[in-house]
Amino acid sequence: MHLKIAILPGDYIGPEVMAVAIPVLENVLKKSGHTLEYSVHDVGGAGIDNHGKALPDSTLEACRAADAILFGSVGGPKWEKLPPKEQPERASLLPLRKHFRLFANVRPGLLLKNLIETSPIRPDRIPNGVDMVCIRELTGGLYFGAKSTTTLADGDIEAIDTMVYRKSEIERITDVAIATARARRKHITLVDKANVLETSVLWRKVVGDRIKATAPDITLAFIYIDNAAMQMVLKPGQFDVVLTENMFGDILSDEMAVVCGSLGMMASASLGMDINRHGKGYGLYEPSGGTAPDIAGQDKANPCAQVLSVALMLRHSFGLEAEAKAIELAVEKTVADGIRTADIAGGAKAVGTKAMGQAILARL
Ligand code: IPM
Ligand code: MG
C-alpha cells in the first residue's frame, strides 16, 4: 500500500512531538513493506508567521491531496493578541474540521492495569485500570453556532455563542457510538445537560430512539455533565462509550485523559464521511492536548499522544491493524519499562521527548 499523508506539526511542542512520530511511522511501514509519501506544512501560528494566515491555501491543498492528515497542535501566547477570529485555533483547526466534515472525534481513554501508578487517581478506585472511549461531536454546538459581540445602547457589552444541533447531526454521531460500543462492552453513556438545555433534550430523544430502533443490543445510560465530571474521577470503570456534544466532549475528554495518566498520552481521531484512495475513512489525527508553551523547546513534552495518533491513523484511514497494534504495544512497553516523561513519572526520574522517542523506536 502507498500511503500519502499531510503532516501539519503546528506550534510550540507540536513540531517536537511530531519529530518523534514521523520516524515511528516510517519504521513501522518499512517493516511491513508499505511505502510512505508525506509532506510537512505550516498550520496555526506557523501559518500566520510564514504565510500570513493560520490555514494557508497550500496547506489545505496538501490535505486535500492526501489520504489522511497527521496534525500536531496549534496556538499559544505568541498569537493571543490577534483578533479572536484570526487566532490559530479558530482560524485553522476548526476550519479544517469543518472543511473535511470531521464530525466524529474518537478519543480512547485506556489505562492498563500495570500502569495504574501513572494515574493521579487513587489505585483502589481503578483496580482494573480504565478502558473507555469518548465519542465527541465535532462540527456542531457552541463551537460553530452564530457568534457575536455587540455594544448595547446603554454602553454594556453583550457576547453571544449559540448552541445549535439538528436531529440528523445527532443521529450520525450516535451511529458512530453504536459501532464503537459493538466492538466493546456494548454500553453507551450519553452526557448532557437535559435539565437546562433544549439541545440536550433533543439529544436524549434522538439518541434514545436511535438505539431503540437500530441497536437493541446496546444499553444506554443518561448522565448530566456536572455529575459525569464527578463520576469520571470517582468511578471511571462505569464508563464504556461516552457520547456527548462538542464542548462537553472537549472538557470531559481532558479529564478522562488525566484519569488515564496524562493528557500527554491521549491520541484522537477525527473522522467524517469522506473516503480516501484506499476506500477507508479520511481523517485527521492529533493529540488531544494542546501546544504546552510552558514546556516547549525544552525536550520535556510527552510524545506518546502524537505517536498513538499515528496508530489511530493507520487503523482508521488505512486498515493497517497489525501496524497500529505494533505502535501501541511499543508505547505500552516503553512506559511499563519505567521509561517516562515528567508528566507520567510521578516525581521519579524522567526522560526527555527525544529519549522517549528512541525508547519507543527500540521496542517497535
Ligand atoms: C481539542 C482542543 C481544541 C478544541 C482547541 C485547540 C480548539 O482543545 O482538540 O480538544 O477545543 O476542540
Ligand atoms: Mg480540548
Side-chain angles (χ1 to χ4, degrees):
M1 182 183 282
H2 183 68
L3 294 79
K4 202 168 166 192
I5 293 161
I7 296 187
L8 281 47
D11 310 319
Y12 291 102
I13 66 162
E16 287 176 61
V17 292
M18 196 63 89
V20 169
I22 294 173
V24 169
L25 173 63
E26 286 175 319
N27 195 287
V28 82
L29 290 178
K30 201 166 162 203
K31 280 200 182 110
S32 53
H34 298 290
T35 50
L36 172 67
E37 178 185 342
Y38 73 83
S39 51
V40 181
H41 304 272
D42 287 329
V43 73
I48 294 171
D49 290 354
N50 301 331
H51 309 257
K53 149 174 184 195
L55 183 57
D57 299 342
S58 52
T59 300
L60 188 60
E61 205 36 63
C63 292
R64 273 203 202 101
D67 301 319
I69 306 170
L70 186 61
F71 197 91
S73 44
V74 291
K78 190 170 175 206
W79 306 281
E80 267 163 16
K81 292 215 172 65
L82 288 172
K85 272 191 196 136
E86 290 169 30
Q87 287 178 16
E89 297 89 329
R90 266 174 79 177
S92 67
L93 183 54
L94 300 193
L96 266 177
R97 288 172 179 171
K98 200 69 174 178
H99 181 89
F100 292 105
R101 299 178 293 170
L102 304 170
F103 68 89
N105 185 232
V106 180
R107 300 188 161 176
L110 181 66
L111 174 66
L112 298 164
K113 226 175 149 174
N114 59 334
L115 302 179
I116 280 175
E117 78 274 11
T118 63
S119 171
I121 302 293
R122 232 169 51 203
D124 61 297
R125 294 202 186 279
I126 43 171
N128 302 313
V130 180
D131 182 6
M132 64 177 111
V133 49
C134 179
I135 307 287
R136 166 189 176 193
E137 201 292 324
L138 203 60
T139 49
L142 285 171
Y143 278 59
F144 293 96
K147 297 170 192 293
S148 65
T149 305
T150 323
T151 303
L152 304 173
D154 65 358
D156 206 353
I157 302 173
E158 181 181 81
I160 301 179
D161 291 292
T162 333
M163 190 184 292
V164 186
Y165 270 109
R166 293 189 178 180
K167 180 180 170 200
S168 52
E169 285 177 289
I170 302 170
E171 279 175 347
R172 66 183 183 185
I173 189 78
T174 303
D175 291 344
V176 174
I178 289 171
T180 308
R182 283 206 167 119
R184 300 173 45 92
R185 303 193 301 275
K186 296 194 165 59
H187 183 63
I188 296 177
T189 305
L190 174 64
V191 176
D192 62 36
K193 190 72 186 171
N195 49 348
V196 177
L197 300 178
E198 200 69 20
T199 44
S200 289
V201 173
L202 183 65
W203 270 81
R204 281 205 179 194
K205 167 136 184 47
V206 173
V207 173
D209 288 352
R210 192 76 168 178
I211 289 178
K212 203 184 257 169
T214 70
D217 53 318
I218 303 292
T219 54
L220 173 65
F222 299 113
I223 178 170
Y224 296 140
I225 176 67
D226 47 351
N227 187 18
M230 183 174 78
Q231 297 297 332
M232 188 67 78
V233 292
L234 281 180
K235 234 179 114 193
Q238 69 188 283
F239 298 108
D240 179 14
V241 174
V242 175
L243 169 62
T244 191
E245 67 87 38
N246 203 345
M247 197 174 72
F248 293 159
D250 178 42
I251 299 167
L252 209 57
S253 62
D254 270 29
E255 191 184 356
M256 176 182 82
V258 94
V259 165
C260 294
S262 162
L263 202 45
M265 294 299 294
M266 190 154 77
S268 89
S270 301
L271 311 168
M273 36 218 164
D274 292 346
I275 298 296
N276 65 22
R277 297 177 309 143
H278 303 287
K280 302 281 176 195
Y282 185 87
L284 180 151
Y285 301 85
E286 61 175 325
S288 300
T291 54
D294 54 325
I295 56 163
Q298 301 167 40
D299 193 40
K300 277 188 185 162
N302 185 345
C304 290
Q306 189 75 65
V307 169
L308 293 170
S309 298
V310 170
L312 290 182
M313 177 179 82
L314 294 177
R315 175 174 295 130
H316 291 288
S317 284
F318 300 98
L320 296 176
E321 179 59 34
E323 289 75 4
K325 252 288 57 87
I327 293 176
E328 287 165 353
L329 282 174
V331 170
E332 186 189 317
K333 190 147 194 331
T334 305
V335 179
D337 287 346
I339 302 168
R340 297 171 188 181
T341 42
D343 57 320
I344 49 170
K349 198 173 167 300
V351 302
T353 310
K354 291 191 184 119
M356 192 76 189
Q358 287 305 323
I360 295 169
L361 268 179
R363 285 161 182 76
L364 201 60

